[in-house]
Amino acid sequence: MLQSRVLKSSEEIEKEAQKYPVLTFADILRALKEHPDWLEELRKIILTADLIELPQKINEILQRLERLEKKVDTLEQDLAVLKQDVEVLKQDVAILKQDVAILKQDVAILKQDVAILKQDVAFLKGEVGRLKGKDFERTIRERYYAYFGRLLRKTRLIPMEKILPRLEEAEEKGLISEEEFDDLLRLDLIVEGQIKSNKKPVILAVEVSYSLYEEDIQRAIRRANILAHLLQKEVIPTVICVETKEDFIKLAEDQGAFVLKTDY
Protein backbone atom coordinates (compact mmCIF):
# COMPACT_ATOMS: atom_id res chain seq x y z
CA MET A 1 0.00 0.00 0.00
CA LEU A 2 2.87 2.35 0.90
CA GLN A 3 4.83 1.30 -2.22
CA SER A 4 1.98 2.15 -4.65
CA ARG A 5 1.50 5.51 -3.06
CA VAL A 6 5.22 6.32 -3.42
CA LEU A 7 5.09 5.40 -7.12
CA LYS A 8 2.03 7.52 -7.60
CA SER A 9 3.72 10.46 -6.01
CA SER A 10 6.62 10.03 -8.44
CA GLU A 11 4.24 10.08 -11.39
CA GLU A 12 2.53 13.14 -10.06
CA ILE A 13 5.85 14.85 -9.63
CA GLU A 14 6.76 14.02 -13.21
CA LYS A 15 3.47 15.42 -14.52
CA GLU A 16 3.84 18.59 -12.48
CA ALA A 17 7.40 19.06 -13.72
CA GLN A 18 6.19 18.93 -17.31
CA LYS A 19 4.23 22.13 -16.65
CA TYR A 20 7.50 24.04 -15.98
CA PRO A 21 9.48 24.74 -19.11
CA VAL A 22 13.20 24.49 -18.29
CA LEU A 23 15.38 26.68 -20.41
CA THR A 24 18.14 27.62 -18.01
CA PHE A 25 19.74 26.38 -14.74
CA ALA A 26 17.91 29.21 -12.99
CA ASP A 27 14.61 27.64 -14.07
CA ILE A 28 15.65 24.41 -12.34
CA LEU A 29 16.51 26.24 -9.13
CA ARG A 30 13.30 28.18 -9.14
CA ALA A 31 11.24 25.00 -9.66
CA LEU A 32 13.01 23.24 -6.80
CA LYS A 33 12.47 26.20 -4.48
CA GLU A 34 8.78 26.23 -5.28
CA HIS A 35 8.54 22.44 -4.88
CA PRO A 36 10.87 21.25 -2.10
CA ASP A 37 9.41 17.74 -2.32
CA TRP A 38 11.05 17.39 -5.71
CA LEU A 39 14.49 17.42 -4.07
CA GLU A 40 14.10 13.86 -2.74
CA GLU A 41 13.17 12.62 -6.17
CA LEU A 42 16.14 14.48 -7.62
CA ARG A 43 18.48 12.92 -5.06
CA LYS A 44 17.31 9.43 -6.05
CA ILE A 45 18.18 10.19 -9.64
CA ILE A 46 21.50 11.96 -9.10
CA LEU A 47 22.98 10.21 -6.04
CA THR A 48 24.13 6.57 -5.88
CA ALA A 49 23.05 4.30 -3.08
CA ASP A 50 26.50 4.69 -1.43
CA LEU A 51 26.25 8.46 -1.47
CA ILE A 52 22.76 8.32 -0.08
CA GLU A 53 23.95 6.12 2.80
CA LEU A 54 27.04 8.30 3.35
CA PRO A 55 25.49 10.56 6.01
CA GLN A 56 24.41 7.52 8.00
CA LYS A 57 27.86 5.97 7.68
CA ILE A 58 29.50 9.24 8.70
CA ASN A 59 27.17 9.37 11.69
CA GLU A 60 28.18 5.82 12.63
CA ILE A 61 31.84 6.74 12.24
CA LEU A 62 31.33 9.78 14.45
CA GLN A 63 29.64 7.60 17.07
CA ARG A 64 32.55 5.17 16.92
CA LEU A 65 34.98 8.06 17.22
CA GLU A 66 33.07 9.30 20.23
CA ARG A 67 33.28 5.87 21.84
CA LEU A 68 36.96 5.68 20.92
CA GLU A 69 37.55 9.08 22.50
CA LYS A 70 35.91 7.85 25.69
CA LYS A 71 38.13 4.75 25.64
CA VAL A 72 41.18 6.94 25.03
CA ASP A 73 40.15 9.14 27.95
CA THR A 74 39.79 6.04 30.11
CA LEU A 75 43.18 4.78 28.96
CA GLU A 76 44.73 8.16 29.72
CA GLN A 77 43.24 8.05 33.19
CA ASP A 78 44.47 4.49 33.67
CA LEU A 79 47.88 5.54 32.38
CA ALA A 80 47.97 8.41 34.85
CA VAL A 81 47.09 6.00 37.68
CA LEU A 82 49.72 3.58 36.39
CA LYS A 83 52.35 6.33 36.38
CA GLN A 84 51.44 7.14 39.98
CA ASP A 85 51.72 3.46 40.88
CA VAL A 86 55.11 3.29 39.14
CA GLU A 87 56.33 6.30 41.14
CA VAL A 88 55.12 4.69 44.35
CA LEU A 89 56.80 1.45 43.29
CA LYS A 90 60.05 3.30 42.60
CA GLN A 91 59.90 4.82 46.07
CA ASP A 92 59.18 1.39 47.59
CA VAL A 93 62.11 -0.11 45.66
CA ALA A 94 64.38 2.69 46.89
CA ILE A 95 63.27 2.05 50.47
CA LEU A 96 63.72 -1.69 49.94
CA LYS A 97 67.27 -1.12 48.66
CA GLN A 98 68.03 0.90 51.76
CA ASP A 99 66.56 -1.84 53.96
CA VAL A 100 68.60 -4.48 52.12
CA ALA A 101 71.75 -2.42 52.58
CA ILE A 102 71.00 -2.08 56.30
CA LEU A 103 70.22 -5.80 56.48
CA LYS A 104 73.55 -6.62 54.83
CA GLN A 105 75.33 -4.49 57.41
CA ASP A 106 73.40 -6.21 60.20
CA VAL A 107 74.26 -9.63 58.75
CA ALA A 108 77.92 -8.66 58.51
CA ILE A 109 77.88 -7.55 62.14
CA LEU A 110 76.01 -10.71 63.11
CA LYS A 111 78.62 -12.84 61.34
CA GLN A 112 81.35 -11.07 63.26
CA ASP A 113 79.45 -11.60 66.50
CA VAL A 114 78.93 -15.28 65.67
CA ALA A 115 82.62 -15.67 64.84
CA ILE A 116 83.55 -14.07 68.17
CA LEU A 117 80.96 -16.24 69.95
CA LYS A 118 82.41 -19.37 68.34
CA GLN A 119 85.86 -18.36 69.53
CA ASP A 120 84.50 -17.74 73.02
CA VAL A 121 82.68 -21.08 73.04
CA ALA A 122 85.79 -22.87 71.79
CA PHE A 123 87.82 -21.12 74.48
CA LEU A 124 85.28 -22.04 77.15
CA LYS A 125 85.20 -25.64 75.96
CA GLY A 126 88.95 -25.71 76.13
CA GLU A 127 88.93 -24.21 79.60
CA VAL A 128 86.26 -26.62 80.80
CA GLY A 129 88.20 -29.51 79.29
CA ARG A 130 91.39 -28.36 80.97
CA LEU A 131 89.62 -27.93 84.30
CA LYS A 132 88.06 -31.38 84.04
CA GLY A 133 91.42 -32.81 83.09
CA LYS A 134 93.23 -31.07 85.93
CA ASP A 135 90.63 -32.14 88.47
CA PHE A 136 90.67 -35.69 87.13
CA GLU A 137 94.46 -35.79 87.31
CA ARG A 138 94.39 -34.43 90.87
CA THR A 139 91.88 -37.09 91.89
CA ILE A 140 93.97 -39.88 90.37
CA ARG A 141 97.13 -38.57 92.02
CA GLU A 142 95.47 -38.29 95.45
CA ARG A 143 93.81 -41.73 95.24
CA TYR A 144 96.19 -43.62 92.96
CA TYR A 145 96.03 -46.68 95.21
CA ALA A 146 92.26 -46.95 94.64
CA TYR A 147 92.63 -46.95 90.85
CA PHE A 148 95.81 -48.96 90.38
CA GLY A 149 95.33 -51.20 93.43
CA ARG A 150 93.05 -53.41 91.30
CA LEU A 151 96.08 -54.31 89.13
CA LEU A 152 99.06 -54.05 91.46
CA ARG A 153 99.97 -54.95 94.99
CA LYS A 154 102.37 -52.88 97.07
CA THR A 155 101.40 -49.89 94.98
CA ARG A 156 103.59 -46.85 95.48
CA LEU A 157 103.68 -43.44 93.81
CA ILE A 158 107.16 -42.39 92.74
CA PRO A 159 107.49 -38.60 92.81
CA MET A 160 109.36 -36.99 89.93
CA GLU A 161 111.72 -35.41 92.46
CA LYS A 162 113.13 -38.85 93.27
CA ILE A 163 114.23 -39.64 89.73
CA LEU A 164 115.08 -36.07 88.75
CA PRO A 165 118.80 -36.38 89.76
CA ARG A 166 119.23 -39.50 87.63
CA LEU A 167 117.35 -37.75 84.78
CA GLU A 168 119.67 -34.75 84.94
CA GLU A 169 122.73 -36.97 85.08
CA ALA A 170 121.53 -38.92 82.02
CA GLU A 171 121.06 -35.69 80.08
CA GLU A 172 124.53 -34.45 81.09
CA LYS A 173 126.09 -37.68 79.92
CA GLY A 174 124.21 -37.56 76.67
CA LEU A 175 122.19 -40.69 77.41
CA ILE A 176 118.99 -38.78 76.69
CA SER A 177 118.41 -35.64 74.67
CA GLU A 178 117.16 -32.31 75.97
CA GLU A 179 113.83 -32.93 74.23
CA GLU A 180 113.50 -36.32 75.95
CA PHE A 181 114.39 -34.71 79.28
CA ASP A 182 111.63 -32.11 78.90
CA ASP A 183 109.17 -34.73 77.61
CA LEU A 184 109.65 -37.04 80.61
CA LEU A 185 109.20 -34.15 83.05
CA ARG A 186 105.67 -33.78 81.68
CA LEU A 187 104.72 -37.36 82.58
CA ASP A 188 101.65 -37.23 84.83
CA LEU A 189 102.36 -40.15 87.23
CA ILE A 190 104.93 -42.84 87.91
CA VAL A 191 103.45 -45.79 89.79
CA GLU A 192 105.48 -48.76 91.10
CA GLY A 193 104.15 -52.13 92.25
CA GLN A 194 103.84 -55.85 91.66
CA ILE A 195 101.41 -57.44 89.24
CA LYS A 196 98.87 -59.30 91.37
CA SER A 197 98.77 -62.39 89.19
CA ASN A 198 102.51 -63.18 89.22
CA LYS A 199 104.03 -60.67 91.68
CA LYS A 200 106.24 -59.32 88.91
CA PRO A 201 107.61 -55.86 89.75
CA VAL A 202 106.69 -53.22 87.17
CA ILE A 203 106.58 -49.47 86.76
CA LEU A 204 103.65 -47.71 85.11
CA ALA A 205 104.31 -44.53 83.12
CA VAL A 206 100.85 -43.03 83.46
CA GLU A 207 99.17 -40.44 81.26
CA VAL A 208 95.96 -39.07 82.77
CA SER A 209 93.42 -37.94 80.17
CA TYR A 210 89.71 -37.39 80.75
CA SER A 211 88.99 -38.15 77.08
CA LEU A 212 91.39 -40.56 75.43
CA TYR A 213 92.68 -39.94 71.89
CA GLU A 214 95.42 -41.49 69.81
CA GLU A 215 97.93 -38.78 70.68
CA ASP A 216 97.54 -39.64 74.39
CA ILE A 217 98.51 -43.24 73.63
CA GLN A 218 101.53 -42.20 71.55
CA ARG A 219 102.66 -39.79 74.26
CA ALA A 220 102.43 -42.50 76.97
CA ILE A 221 104.44 -44.95 74.84
CA ARG A 222 107.11 -42.38 74.06
CA ARG A 223 107.56 -41.30 77.69
CA ALA A 224 107.52 -44.90 78.96
CA ASN A 225 110.37 -45.75 76.60
CA ILE A 226 112.43 -42.80 77.91
CA LEU A 227 111.76 -43.83 81.53
CA ALA A 228 112.64 -47.48 80.81
CA HIS A 229 115.94 -46.39 79.24
CA LEU A 230 116.67 -44.20 82.24
CA LEU A 231 115.80 -46.74 84.99
CA GLN A 232 116.79 -49.87 83.10
CA LYS A 233 113.57 -51.50 84.26
CA GLU A 234 110.36 -52.70 82.63
CA VAL A 235 107.99 -49.77 82.20
CA ILE A 236 104.43 -50.22 80.94
CA PRO A 237 102.88 -47.23 79.09
CA THR A 238 99.53 -46.65 80.77
CA VAL A 239 96.63 -44.34 80.06
CA ILE A 240 93.80 -43.81 82.52
CA CYS A 241 90.65 -42.12 81.21
CA VAL A 242 86.89 -41.65 81.62
CA GLU A 243 85.84 -41.35 77.97
CA THR A 244 87.23 -43.18 74.94
CA LYS A 245 86.34 -45.32 71.92
CA GLU A 246 86.87 -49.04 71.53
CA ASP A 247 89.08 -48.32 68.52
CA PHE A 248 91.53 -46.40 70.71
CA ILE A 249 91.57 -49.16 73.33
CA LYS A 250 92.40 -51.72 70.64
CA LEU A 251 95.05 -49.41 69.18
CA ALA A 252 96.69 -49.10 72.61
CA GLU A 253 96.68 -52.88 73.16
CA ASP A 254 98.18 -53.49 69.71
CA GLN A 255 101.06 -51.11 70.57
CA GLY A 256 101.71 -52.59 74.01
CA ALA A 257 100.02 -49.85 76.03
CA PHE A 258 97.50 -50.42 78.81
CA VAL A 259 94.24 -48.45 79.03
CA LEU A 260 92.44 -48.16 82.36
CA LYS A 261 88.93 -46.81 81.83
CA THR A 262 87.27 -45.66 85.03
CA ASP A 263 84.37 -43.65 86.41
CA TYR A 264 84.90 -40.15 87.73
Side-chain angles (χ1 to χ4, degrees):
M1 196 68 184
L2 179 60
Q3 186 178 1
S4 61
R5 189 168 57 188
V6 171
L7 290 174
K8 184 179 179 180
S9 297
S10 298
E11 291 173 359
E12 289 176 355
I13 291 171
E14 187 177 351
K15 287 179 180 181
E16 288 178 358
Q18 290 176 357
K19 297 177 182 181
Y20 287 82
V22 178
L23 300 177
T24 64
F25 184 69
D27 295 335
I28 296 173
L29 294 177
R30 184 174 59 253
L32 291 175
K33 288 180 180 179
E34 292 177 0
H35 297 278
D37 53 327
W38 292 4
L39 289 173
E40 186 64 28
E41 192 69 20
L42 184 61
R43 289 192 185 97
K44 293 178 181 179
I45 296 171
I46 296 175
L47 302 177
T48 63
D50 291 339
L51 290 175
I52 293 172
E53 295 174 358
L54 185 59
Q56 182 180 354
K57 291 182 177 179
I58 291 175
N59 185 50
E60 291 176 356
I61 292 172
L62 291 175
Q63 291 177 355
R64 290 180 182 177
L65 286 174
E66 184 178 356
R67 290 194 296 270
L68 184 59
E69 287 179 353
K70 290 181 180 179
K71 289 182 179 180
V72 170
D73 291 339
T74 303
L75 287 175
E76 287 180 347
Q77 293 175 359
D78 293 342
L79 181 59
V81 174
L82 181 60
K83 286 182 178 179
Q84 293 177 355
D85 293 341
V86 169
E87 290 300 322
V88 174
L89 182 60
K90 286 181 178 179
Q91 294 175 359
D92 293 341
V93 170
I95 294 172
L96 181 60
K97 286 182 177 179
Q98 293 176 356
D99 293 341
V100 169
I102 294 172
L103 181 61
K104 285 182 178 179
Q105 293 176 356
D106 293 341
V107 169
I109 295 172
L110 182 61
K111 285 183 177 179
Q112 293 176 355
D113 293 341
V114 169
I116 294 172
L117 182 61
K118 284 182 178 180
Q119 293 176 356
D120 293 342
V121 169
F123 176 77
L124 288 175
K125 283 184 177 180
E127 288 298 309
V128 170
R130 280 189 287 274
L131 288 174
K132 288 170 65 176
K134 289 294 182 182
D135 188 62
F136 181 53
E137 181 180 343
R138 179 184 57 79
T139 302
I140 298 300
R141 181 179 296 276
E142 291 177 352
R143 302 183 61 191
Y144 70 92
Y145 47 85
Y147 293 98
F148 298 103
R150 292 176 290 175
L151 307 173
L152 305 176
R153 60 189 298 272
K154 296 183 179 180
T155 306
R156 184 170 64 92
L157 186 66
I158 301 177
M160 183 62 68
E161 292 83 356
K162 184 175 181 180
I163 66 170
L164 185 57
R166 297 181 61 179
L167 185 61
E168 292 173 342
E169 183 181 358
E171 182 193 12
E172 290 174 358
K173 291 181 179 181
L175 300 177
I176 61 173
S177 66
E178 183 179 352
E179 289 77 13
E180 290 174 327
F181 177 88
D182 293 336
D183 197 17
L184 188 58
L185 287 179
R186 293 183 176 85
L187 184 63
D188 292 330
L189 297 174
I190 303 174
V191 180
E192 185 179 26
Q194 296 178 354
I195 298 175
K196 281 188 175 182
S197 60
N198 55 20
K199 297 182 180 180
K200 181 182 179 179
V202 293
I203 295 175
L204 305 181
V206 182
E207 288 292 323
V208 182
S209 180
Y210 190 92
S211 298
L212 175 63
Y213 295 99
E214 182 178 356
E215 55 267 27
D216 299 314
I217 299 170
Q218 300 303 327
R219 187 166 55 249
I221 294 172
R222 186 179 66 249
R223 291 172 179 175
N225 289 335
I226 299 172
L227 186 61
H229 179 65
L230 177 69
L231 301 178
Q232 297 296 308
K233 293 183 179 181
E234 181 178 0
V235 179
I236 300 176
T238 305
V239 182
I240 183 168
C241 64
V242 177
E243 300 173 347
T244 189
K245 296 180 179 179
E246 291 299 325
D247 293 343
F248 292 142
I249 295 177
K250 186 177 184 306
L251 177 65
E253 292 175 351
D254 292 343
Q255 296 188 18
F258 177 70
V259 176
L260 178 60
K261 189 172 181 294
T262 184
D263 296 329
Y264 171 58

